[in-house]
Amino acid sequence: MDSINSFFLLSGFLIALSILASRLSSFFGLPLLVIFLVLGMLAGEEGVLGIKFDDYSLAFVISHLALAMILLDGGLRTRLKTFRVAFKPALSLASLGVVVTAGIVGLFAAWIFDLTLIQGLLVGSIVGSTDAAAVFALLSGRGMNLNERVAATLEIESGTNDPMAIFLTLTLIELMVGEIGGVGETLLFLITQFGLGIGIGLGGGWLSAKLLRWLDLAPGLYSLLALALGFCVFGMTGALGGSGFLAIYLAGLMIGNQPGRHLNFILPVHDGLAWLSQIGLFLVLGLLVNPSEVLEYGVSAMLVALVLTFIARPLAVLIIIKPFFKFRWREIGFICWVGLRGAVPIVLAIFPVIGGVENSVLYFNVAFAVVLLSLVIQGGTIPLMARWMKVEVPLGVTPHRRGALGVLPENDYEMFVYTVENDALEDAPIRLLRFPSGALISALFREHSMLHPKGSTRLKLGDVICIIGRSKDLPALNRLFNGDATLKRERAFFGIFTLDGDALMGDVAQAYGLTLSSGEQDMTLGEFISLRVGGHPVVGDDVDWHGIHWVVSEMEGNKVTRVGLKPY
């Protein structure tokens, strides 16, 4: 009984302390995951609490459970429309990029640690993939709004590169212990990892999405059923020899992109589950490591981390991305920098320990040191690099709160809550507001009292307005309620003047004294900018032409709908 009480006391204390310590992240500029890792180390055998934990098999199971929940949540929040700009480059980085990174790091590791080539390549394979937990946590939790091309590439890459890293790691371990099969068997293993992961993930996710949408359950049961179905997909895929990590990410993607009331109940719960998984995962991995052993490899591991960060990752991105895809140099630079390592390399480093491979302690401690340095050096400088590389897009006003009304099974009406912060709306009568045709004000709160708005009601700064509308009304509503500070940021980025993407280039050229070729006269401005940008345009793409900086300010699907103008 005492052991059970001690378990609850210590686990509750560590989780609560991790959550409270998260406030230090913004104060010191440290990534949250570093704080969770350090707390785990402080609670460990050589730390303050002296908890002895060396059960690698249990840590392996906990890690898989936590990573499965993190990837499921990441898939739920990834929009399918982002695949139009990032699927091919992200998949290339998730496969060939891992091979190139592992090869370069492996050659250096073999030299610096005096290992055989196979042993060095095993080090490279363990640290060769980016980590979904780290990428999802850092990109969503640092207040950045990256352009869609960059954000989608990083998120999809981190969610799909585990199969290649697992394949390389297991193949090299089998080669070292003498259990490797032939070339055909090895290739079949790789194809099975990706093929079953994609097939079962998409198929199981599609069936799960249809079931969740069809069933009428108590609100609290939708999230549990989504988690259970995700685990079924993960387990079935793994049992058949595929990548469960890839499958559960794709299952989440299919569930999250199936419209319906179930998402209103699933997403908030899974956000909490993902945070709990990240805290538990990094606490356990921190408990597992002994700082004194990590310090034995400290200098050499630091050199491996530097080679990974400044040589291997940039070369892999340049070789895989630049020749074949339309990315700007500053986007390439940021993607090179955000090759974040996290829980996955540490979990992969447990494979050699469980498999009884020689020098298994080296692999685990080097992987831990590389992850810690990656999170501190790269993770701690992401906001700075995003500003330096100019890959951020100004984040405009969004509803303080929104939620579906549950009236319609799809394309449902929602309640959007805004606070009046725009000076232009002070004393403006409601009837003069340029509202979308399908939206209306349902309530207005002023000084904690609810008013019944009429056309003659005049707005005041600080008013809280509840609006019923659909998601397609959001762009117009956000523009209406933009505050002065937000407007200044947007105008500094997009320009003071904006033009409709449907404007004919002939009219634009006549108005601004521009010269066009004969084939460009009948094009729309949106088509012209898309052609100049190349590939799939995203908000924030820019073109310097005729002494004007043309910036894509709004998109609707693949279509450019608004373009900003800035003289330069």
Side-chain angles (χ1 to χ4, degrees):
M1 182 64 69
D2 287 340
S3 60
I4 294 177
N5 291 331
S6 297
F7 170 76
F8 277 100
L9 175 62
L10 288 173
S11 59
F13 173 73
L14 287 175
I15 292 173
L17 186 61
S18 299
I19 295 171
L20 294 174
S22 66
R23 299 292 299 171
L24 298 175
S25 175
S26 57
F27 186 76
F28 291 106
L30 285 174
L32 279 173
L33 304 185
V34 174
I35 294 175
F36 301 153
L37 268 179
V38 171
L39 285 175
M41 294 168 65
L42 289 174
E45 186 175 1
E46 297 182 358
V48 178
L49 297 181
I51 300 173
K52 185 177 181 180
F53 180 75
D54 57 1
D55 192 335
Y56 285 90
S57 297
L58 178 59
F60 189 73
V61 173
I62 293 173
S63 301
H64 274 64
L65 177 66
L67 284 172
M69 285 196 281
I70 292 167
L71 285 166
L72 178 63
D73 181 69
L76 286 169
R77 297 175 194 282
T78 302
R79 302 275 63 84
L80 273 174
K81 66 178 184 178
T82 65
F83 276 65
R84 69 182 175 86
V85 296
F87 176 69
K88 292 180 180 178
L91 192 61
S92 300
L93 283 177
S95 51
L96 297 178
V98 174
V99 174
V100 174
T101 303
I104 296 172
V105 174
L107 292 174
F108 180 78
W111 173 72
I112 196 71
F113 291 111
D114 193 23
L115 303 173
T116 65
L117 178 60
I118 300 300
Q119 291 172 329
L121 290 175
L122 180 57
V123 174
S125 300
I126 288 172
V127 301
S129 66
T130 59
D131 181 65
V135 171
F136 292 154
L138 289 172
L139 292 188
S140 63
R142 302 306 293 270
M144 296 179 298
N145 186 37
L146 302 178
N147 82 46
E148 186 182 10
R149 185 184 297 110
V150 172
T153 299
L154 292 170
E155 290 177 1
I156 296 171
E157 177 204 4
S158 66
T160 57
N161 64 7
D162 293 333
M164 180 57 76
I166 293 172
F167 164 75
L168 293 174
T169 300
L170 292 181
T171 299
L172 290 167
I173 290 174
E174 290 176 354
L175 190 62
M176 292 170 67
V177 299
E179 298 179 0
I180 188 69
V183 175
E185 185 179 342
T186 303
L187 289 176
L188 179 62
F189 175 63
L190 175 62
I191 295 171
T192 303
Q193 280 277 298
F194 274 98
L196 289 178
I198 294 172
I200 298 178
L202 293 177
W206 183 83
L207 290 174
S208 300
K210 293 297 182 184
L211 179 63
L212 286 163
R213 185 182 175 189
W214 175 69
L215 288 174
D216 185 13
L217 300 173
L221 295 179
Y222 283 102
S223 57
L224 295 179
L225 181 57
L227 182 62
L229 294 172
F231 280 173
C232 288
V233 169
F234 182 90
M236 180 186 300
T237 307
L240 295 176
S243 171
F245 293 124
L246 177 60
I248 198 168
Y249 173 75
L250 293 176
L253 181 73
M254 299 305 293
I255 294 172
N257 283 273
Q258 178 66 55
R261 63 191 295 268
H262 59 284
L263 290 181
N264 303 319
F265 309 121
I266 291 174
L267 292 177
V269 175
H270 277 262
D271 183 50
L273 289 175
W275 275 113
L276 178 63
S277 300
Q278 291 179 50
I279 293 172
L281 173 59
F282 282 88
L283 283 176
V284 167
L285 295 177
L287 284 170
L288 198 62
V289 72
N290 292 318
S292 60
E293 294 180 357
V294 176
L295 290 175
E296 290 181 20
Y297 305 97
V299 175
S300 299
M302 182 181 296
L303 293 175
V304 171
L306 292 175
V307 169
L308 173 63
T309 303
F310 294 102
I311 298 176
R313 171 70 176 183
L315 280 178
V317 173
L318 288 173
I319 293 171
I320 303 299
I321 296 292
K322 190 57 182 175
F324 308 106
F325 305 102
K326 299 290 186 180
F327 280 74
R328 312 292 180 88
W329 277 109
R330 59 177 184 265
E331 296 172 336
I332 293 289
F334 188 76
I335 292 172
C336 289
W337 187 248
V338 191
L340 291 168
R341 269 61 192 173
V344 169
I346 303 177
V347 174
L348 291 179
I350 298 177
F351 279 88
V353 179
I354 296 176
V357 174
E358 184 183 0
N359 290 327
S360 60
V361 175
L362 179 146
Y363 301 121
F364 182 81
N365 287 291
V366 169
F368 189 91
V370 169
V371 166
L372 192 58
L373 289 168
S374 173
L375 290 175
V376 171
I377 296 172
Q378 295 170 283
T381 57
I382 284 180
L384 177 64
M385 294 297 291
R387 290 191 295 269
W388 187 36
M389 296 292 181
K390 298 180 180 179
V391 295
E392 283 189 287
V393 176
L395 184 62
V397 167
T398 56
H400 297 302
R401 188 176 296 111
R402 59 182 292 189
L405 298 182
V407 177
L408 303 175
E410 58 183 64
N411 194 23
D412 194 13
Y413 284 96
E414 295 185 62
M415 176 74 76
F416 306 117
V417 180
Y418 288 92
T419 300
V420 178
E421 300 172 341
N422 186 355
D423 289 338
L425 297 181
E426 172 71 22
D427 205 38
I430 287 178
R431 66 173 178 272
L432 297 183
L433 299 182
R434 299 183 63 182
F435 259 62
S437 58
L440 58 87
I441 296 178
S442 60
L444 188 151
F445 293 86
R446 180 176 298 164
E447 297 178 355
H448 307 292
S449 297
M450 187 174 72
L451 307 179
H452 299 286
K454 302 176 182 177
S456 59
T457 303
R458 293 180 179 271
L459 298 180
K460 301 293 182 183
L461 290 178
D463 285 353
V464 177
I465 300 180
C466 301
I467 300 171
I468 294 177
R470 286 191 166 106
S471 58
K472 65 180 178 62
D473 301 322
L474 272 178
L477 291 173
N478 291 339
R479 283 197 301 272
L480 177 65
F481 288 101
N482 263 354
D484 290 342
T486 304
L487 285 171
K488 288 178 181 178
R489 287 196 300 270
E490 290 187 348
R491 287 172 178 174
F493 187 87
F494 296 114
I496 297 176
F497 303 105
T498 60
L499 297 178
D500 197 309
D502 290 329
L504 291 176
M505 281 305 298
D507 297 335
V508 174
Q510 185 176 1
Y512 289 91
L514 309 178
T515 304
L516 297 174
S517 65
S518 58
E520 295 170 341
Q521 291 284 342
D522 297 327
M523 297 176 67
T524 65
L525 177 59
E527 292 169 344
F528 177 79
I529 297 298
S530 298
L531 183 65
R532 287 293 181 117
V533 168
H536 299 281
V538 297
V539 172
D541 276 343
D542 52 7
V543 175
D544 291 329
W545 182 62
H546 276 280
I548 299 176
H549 201 59
W550 307 76
V551 188
V552 177
S553 60
E554 281 186 20
M555 293 282 304
E556 188 174 313
N558 289 318
K559 182 181 178 182
V560 177
T561 55
R562 301 290 298 178
V563 178
L565 286 74
K566 290 198 305 182
Y568 69 91

